[in-house]
Amino acid sequence: MTGRERYIPYLFLLPALALIIIFNLFPTIATLIESLHGNSLVRGGRVFVGLGNFNRVLNDPVFWKSMQVTGLFSILVNPIQVALALGLALLANSKVRGITVFRSIYLLPVAVSINVTTVVWGLMLNSEGGLINGILNLVGIERQPFLISPSHALWSIIILATWKGVPLWTLFFLAGLQGIPQTVLEAARIDGAGRWQSFRFVTLPLLRGVLLFVLVADTVANFLLFAPVLLLTRGGPQLSTNLVMYETYRRGFVYGDLGVSSAMLSLMLLLVFAVIGVQFTLLRRRA
Amino acid sequence: MATQTGTVAPKATSLQMLRLQHVWRRKGERLLIYVLLLLVALMALLPLMWAFAASLTPNAKVFEYAFPFSLRALFPVEFTLEAYEALFARGFGDALKNSFWLAGVTVVLGGTINALAGFAFARFEFRGKRILFLTVILLPFLVPVDLTAIPRFILVNTLDWRNTWQALIVPGLGNSLAIFLFRQFFEEIPQDLIDAARVDGASWMRLFYNVVLPLSRPVLITAALFLFLQQWDAYFWPLLVAPRPELRLVQVAISSAVEEHRTRWNEQLAGSMLAAIVPILLLLPFQRYYIQAVTSSGLKD
């Protein structure tokens, strides 16, 4: 390419890249910088406070409690969702008549936003007369205090997040399953592999890349879960659903402490990168 | 003779029985698959069916058949549109209109600029290509936008964009995933077509509009769906930057229905159904394209 032509690719790139730099890349760096600043009571405006915000965050029992809740939530929700999504993908991959209708039905929770999911499930999990208690009542289980008891509330969030999340992750597994050549599975069958064996030794190893991606993406997505907590529990009862994303919102936008909130967000950013990093190293080592 | 038939006959029956067993086992398996498929379908549908029915029910009777549960819970108890009427009387129609407008503008403007960038990455060699791709496309793709909302919020305030359309539109235009999708598709366009247009003296811009875009229907649908749904579902960001009622979007309208009218259940559900029906009607006919958009985010390398 000569002369004027050399600039053409940059012109094509300019609008999108400029916007991404301004509204995505810069805020990422600025989050880290903002976490080193605080509100000045004397002069007003922002002043540099060094690691002061981190110091406050790391000595804050509410933050640690929210990390604990988030950890428990992650350990429960991610394996549940990934296992169910894999199972559902195997089921939806069956070659039976009418399967496309079922697949369309399974797509519905993907289309529904998390807010809608939250409102509908919030009412279904109503502890007085909700539909779920109604169904439990049919099989002789007494009313459960789903959203109002500290021992139940986190599970309620897990249930609604799972209804919305599993169909999405199923799409990835289904795409992965459909990418496995039929000949490989036939070869396994001819070699005398049973259903479980061909799943364990053929399908699963071939799905490893997808599995890893889903595990990472699901972990990150659930780490960011926010709307159900805001709309249903406000972190309660007794901080039992005070997920860290909600805690950063509360500190930053309800109490106006942007420095502490940024420090929390910086820690979350580092954690997200650590999760991505660890899981990719795991994949590379096994490969 | 008698012994011969005696030995042959049982053999035949055992073979037949084996075959019969095989057929029954396959039938049983198929039955089991259908039972499971139906069970999962029920779990996916039940919340939506109940919510839809309850949204058409007088508020006092929303929980009438939910507890104790009867199948009548899945049908309107006393059919009424009062929830929808009340909702529209309080401006839910404006929220729908605003969300359509925001999503539509994002599809057109965002679709254009991301397609241009995708084309540059797919068909040009230029200095800094690799490093630009890694830092400006891949890195922001990995950083969840909600985690960097505070500086973006401060930036928008500094620009004096709070409570304006710009605050809602502009930050959502440049999109890494859309650029990925376009790049992937444009890489597959035969070089001959591009060369032919170049020989004819078409400028790169003309070539892009007259040759490349007409070939790109699938990726245009995929990217448009993705950008539309992203803005339709937007909640956290609009909540921060555009609290003014005139700019209220559909997801924010739902959440404020919950916060301001905690016990008007049928209205909350009516709003939810209106917010849900749009993406459902878009996704079902175009699911192939949507699945493409979603799954390619996992196959980025």
Side-chain angles (χ1 to χ4, degrees):
Chain A
M1 250 177 273
T2 55
R4 242 161 47 91
E5 290 265 278
R6 275 228 312 260
Y7 298 103
I8 285 173
Y10 298 107
L11 289 179
F12 272 71
L13 290 174
L14 185 67
L17 261 52
L19 288 175
I20 292 179
I21 289 171
I22 296 170
F23 289 105
N24 295 81
L25 209 52
F26 160 72
T28 306
I29 298 158
T31 299
L32 303 171
I33 296 171
E34 178 65 23
S35 66
L36 304 174
H37 290 76
N39 287 323
S40 165
L41 293 176
V42 187
R43 288 184 299 159
R46 317 283 297 152
V47 289
F48 182 80
V49 295
L51 292 174
N53 290 323
F54 288 96
N55 205 12
R56 282 170 61 199
V57 168
L58 296 177
N59 285 312
D60 180 353
V62 177
F63 173 75
W64 283 113
K65 171 72 182 163
S66 81
M67 285 303 277
Q68 210 183 325
V69 170
T70 309
L72 180 65
F73 177 69
S74 303
I75 287 171
L76 294 171
V77 78
N78 296 316
I80 290 174
Q81 288 190 4
V82 172
L84 287 177
L86 182 56
L88 182 55
L90 290 168
L91 184 65
N93 198 34
S94 318
K95 315 265 179 300
V96 296
R97 199 189 281 241
I99 192 71
T100 50
V101 177
F102 286 106
R103 283 191 202 148
S104 297
I105 293 173
Y106 302 160
L107 202 61
L108 291 176
V110 179
V112 171
S113 72
I114 186 70
N115 290 41
V116 171
T117 307
T118 301
V119 172
V120 173
W121 275 93
L123 295 179
M124 291 213 308
L125 291 169
N126 186 297
S127 47
E128 293 294 317
L131 189 81
I132 301 299
N133 268 330
I135 291 172
L136 290 180
N137 184 55
L138 283 185
V139 290
I141 298 172
E142 62 188 65
R143 269 190 257 231
Q144 299 293 312
F146 284 115
L147 289 161
I148 52 176
S149 145
S151 61
H152 285 59
L154 194 64
W155 279 104
S156 304
I157 307 271
I158 289 172
I159 289 170
L160 73 90
T162 301
W163 181 82
K164 161 110 184 94
V166 165
L168 175 70
W169 308 117
T170 300
L171 294 178
F172 291 88
F173 285 125
L174 203 52
L177 285 173
Q178 286 164 351
I180 295 175
Q182 208 56 45
T183 48
V184 179
L185 291 169
E186 263 161 43
R189 199 162 48 228
I190 289 164
D191 287 348
R195 193 156 298 183
W196 166 248
Q197 282 173 315
S198 62
F199 171 74
R200 172 69 189 79
F201 296 107
V202 181
T203 308
L204 208 52
L206 286 172
L207 280 183
R208 196 182 49 203
V210 184
L211 188 66
L212 190 91
F213 172 80
V214 171
L215 213 55
V216 173
D218 192 21
T219 305
V220 173
N222 285 318
F223 199 53
L224 301 171
L225 202 70
F226 167 74
V229 183
L230 176 71
L231 291 178
L232 294 181
T233 63
R234 303 240 158 198
Q238 294 162 36
L239 297 181
S240 65
T241 60
N242 198 36
L243 295 174
V244 69
M245 191 66 207
Y246 180 71
E247 177 62 15
T248 64
Y249 168 80
R250 211 170 57 93
R251 291 302 281 267
F253 293 98
V254 180
Y255 295 116
D257 200 341
L258 293 184
V260 165
S261 189
S262 293
M264 289 180 185
L265 288 166
S266 297
L267 292 174
M268 287 172 74
L269 264 178
L270 296 179
L271 217 59
V272 165
F273 278 114
V275 167
I276 293 172
V278 165
Q279 295 192 340
F280 273 90
T281 333
L282 273 179
L283 175 77
R284 193 161 290 174
R285 206 169 54 197
R286 278 214 200 135
Chain B
M1 220 35 195
T3 44
Q4 231 174 10
T5 43
T7 48
V8 168
K11 232 185 201 168
T13 17
S14 72
L15 211 71
Q16 269 170 350
M17 266 175 64
L18 263 177
R19 190 166 300 154
L20 213 64
Q21 229 175 11
H22 184 67
V23 168
W24 277 111
R25 225 172 93 185
R26 283 197 50 186
K27 276 196 175 162
E29 246 165 43
R30 187 161 301 175
L31 189 71
L32 181 71
I33 287 175
Y34 275 117
V35 168
L36 288 173
L37 284 169
L38 276 170
L39 212 65
V40 180
L42 196 68
M43 284 196 266
L45 280 174
L46 191 74
L48 297 174
M49 286 164 73
W50 174 72
F52 185 57
S55 77
L56 295 166
T57 295
N59 198 40
K61 306 216 162 168
V62 160
F63 294 112
E64 182 109 336
Y65 296 104
F67 187 98
F69 179 76
S70 103
L71 279 178
R72 293 189 59 184
L74 305 181
F75 302 93
V77 176
E78 280 163 29
F79 181 89
T80 169
L81 288 172
E82 66 170 43
Y84 290 88
E85 281 159 7
L87 209 56
F88 278 98
R90 280 195 281 105
F92 196 81
D94 293 331
L96 284 173
K97 214 163 56 191
N98 285 343
S99 277
F100 266 116
W101 168 245
L102 172 64
V105 169
T106 304
V107 166
V108 174
L109 296 182
T112 307
I113 65 170
N114 293 314
L116 287 170
F119 186 73
F121 279 120
R123 308 305 302 212
F124 286 103
E125 284 310 321
F126 51 89
R127 217 201 283 198
K129 181 173 170 176
R130 211 182 128 70
I131 187 83
L132 272 181
F133 194 77
L134 287 179
T135 54
V136 184
I137 311 298
L138 196 61
L139 186 67
F141 178 76
L142 294 174
V143 178
V145 287
D146 287 352
L147 290 188
T148 56
I150 289 180
R152 199 174 302 112
F153 173 74
I154 294 173
L155 178 66
V156 162
N157 271 338
T158 316
L159 293 168
D160 229 357
W161 281 5
R162 207 166 130 88
N163 276 322
T164 65
W165 277 109
Q166 296 93 290
L168 294 170
I169 296 171
V170 180
L173 292 179
N175 188 295
S176 299
L177 178 64
I179 296 175
F180 274 130
L181 291 167
F182 281 116
R183 184 188 72 145
Q184 219 169 32
F185 189 89
F186 292 152
E187 275 173 348
E188 303 296 318
I189 292 175
Q191 187 63 37
D192 297 353
L193 278 175
I194 289 176
D195 288 343
R198 291 293 291 157
V199 169
D200 288 345
S203 72
W204 281 106
M205 215 51 201
R206 283 241 331 256
L207 180 143
F208 181 73
Y209 272 103
N210 296 340
V211 180
V212 174
L213 285 191
L215 291 171
S216 309
R217 215 178 89 97
V219 73
L220 289 172
I221 295 176
T222 304
L225 263 180
F226 176 74
L227 290 169
F228 188 97
L229 292 178
Q230 180 159 297
Q231 289 291 34
W232 188 265
D233 287 355
Y235 175 56
F236 189 60
W237 179 247
L239 192 68
L240 298 186
V241 295
R244 189 159 66 105
E246 294 79 41
L247 292 175
R248 185 167 281 180
L249 299 173
V250 66
Q251 308 295 340
V252 181
I254 292 176
S255 82
S256 51
V258 172
E259 298 188 338
E260 292 155 22
H261 308 282
R262 276 228 169 249
T263 53
R264 291 194 197 165
W265 304 293
N266 62 353
E267 286 179 37
Q268 296 172 17
L269 292 169
S272 298
M273 291 300 96
L274 290 171
I277 195 69
V278 173
I280 287 174
L281 289 181
L282 276 176
L283 268 195
L284 287 184
F286 293 117
Q287 46 182 290
R288 190 161 58 93
Y289 297 99
Y290 180 74
I291 292 169
Q292 165 81 28
V294 168
T295 51
S296 58
S297 69
L299 313 166
K300 56 190 178 293
D301 35 20

